[in-house]
Amino acid sequence: DTGVSQDPRHKITKRGQNVTFRCDPISEHNRLYWYRQTLGQGPEFLTYFQNEAQLEKSRLLSDRFSAERPKGSFSTLEIQRTEQGDSAMYLCASSLAYRPYEQYFGPGTRLTVT
Amino acid sequence: AQRVTQPEKLLSVFKGAPVELKCNYSYSGSPELFWYVQYSRQRLQLLLRHISRESIKGFTADLNKGETSFHLKKPFAQEEDSAMYYCALSSGNAGGTSYGKLTFGQGTILTVHP
């Protein structure tokens, strides 16, 4: 296992388009997290899953954002009708449920909305 | 609302000098505090956790509930310590759904000069 992977690594899209990102966690990890990071800031929590259940979602997450983890393995994060303010690095992390603070991060997907 | 503040965006020291990266938090309950580190071209990773009270790579951090601080210290900095450091907080309620949901500070870039 090479760790958490994310695809794509970079995405450039035009305002108003929909985008979808994928995250593959470490195989034995049952928790999966999504964070967003803008320039000069630390990662900001978006949502997390335990197995296939989405347990918490940030109030900052608008209804244009949706995340799924259908089989409790990989996860997708979709942003509909992208806006320039969505430009950021989107980070995925995974952990064991009994050690949720020890999160293993992926390399991130950098989104640029033009 | 929980918040983590790292007052220094940049910190420069010379090799062999002591280093202290400051972190202050606000949280109404009993938090767990962590330091995460990101070396150049690497992923974000856990450095240490306050509950474990261990020294990792020569770094230690003590939780001071009276001052709501969790400063990271190392007595003799090394060039390989140069990295971005993030302080993070989680709810300390191990049975709660928010346990493991991390709130990050803005980060401090540490540069250790030869």
Side-chain angles (χ1 to χ4, degrees):
Chain A
D1 195 306
T2 55
V4 178
S5 62
Q6 293 186 245
D7 183 71
R9 296 290 304 276
H10 303 274
K11 178 71 176 179
I12 299 174
T13 191
K14 293 185 177 179
R15 189 176 53 190
Q17 298 294 304
N18 299 344
V19 294
T20 300
F21 309 141
R22 177 179 170 125
C23 171
D24 286 87
I26 293 173
S27 56
E28 60 267 29
H29 285 181
N30 40 15
R31 279 209 179 184
L32 186 149
Y33 309 81
W34 284 100
Y35 293 88
R36 176 173 62 190
Q37 186 173 26
T38 53
L39 201 61
Q41 300 298 316
E44 178 184 36
F45 172 82
L46 292 178
T47 188
Y48 88 90
F49 294 84
Q50 181 153 316
N51 301 314
E52 65 274 10
Q54 188 173 17
L55 295 188
E56 192 160 338
K57 188 175 174 180
S58 168
R59 284 172 289 177
L60 300 174
L61 211 60
S62 78
D63 55 9
R64 296 185 297 107
F65 287 71
S66 62
E68 294 183 341
R69 195 183 183 198
K71 296 182 180 179
S73 57
F74 73 92
S75 175
T76 57
L77 177 69
E78 181 182 16
I79 309 174
Q80 296 183 327
R81 305 180 302 282
T82 53
E83 301 172 357
Q84 287 190 316
D86 297 331
S87 296
M89 177 74 86
Y90 290 84
L91 294 167
C92 175
S94 69
S95 75
L96 294 166
Y98 65 87
R99 292 176 68 88
Y101 49 82
E102 189 171 356
Q103 296 178 20
Y104 291 77
F105 281 79
T109 294
R110 182 166 295 284
L111 173 66
T112 302
V113 182
T114 62
Chain B
Q2 55 200 56
R3 180 179 294 176
V4 176
T5 302
Q6 294 178 249
E8 304 142 326
K9 279 196 174 294
L10 302 169
L11 184 62
S12 290
V13 300
F14 285 99
K15 177 182 173 181
V19 63
E20 180 179 68
L21 290 89
K22 291 183 166 47
C23 172
N24 290 89
Y25 68 91
S26 63
Y27 184 68
S28 56
S30 181
E32 283 198 34
L33 277 295
F34 311 90
W35 279 96
Y36 271 75
V37 61
Q38 186 167 23
Y39 301 102
S40 178
R41 298 189 181 87
Q42 294 188 27
R43 303 174 185 195
L44 194 57
Q45 58 185 288
L46 178 65
L47 179 62
L48 56 79
R49 178 186 180 209
H50 91 265
I51 283 181
S52 60
R53 301 184 67 81
E54 57 191 346
S55 173
I56 304 292
K57 298 184 179 182
F59 284 98
T60 59
D62 289 319
L63 179 61
N64 186 323
K65 292 187 177 181
E67 296 183 357
T68 59
S69 68
F70 186 56
H71 302 328
L72 183 68
K73 300 177 184 179
K74 185 169 183 177
F76 307 104
Q78 303 299 313
E79 289 178 69
E80 55 265 31
D81 296 328
S82 295
M84 171 73 92
Y85 291 81
Y86 292 99
C87 183
L89 174 154
S90 171
S91 155
N93 179 3
T97 58
S98 290
Y99 184 54
K101 169 190 164 186
L102 297 176
T103 298
F104 286 88
Q106 303 96 316
T108 298
I109 299 173
L110 173 65
T111 302
V112 181
H113 299 285

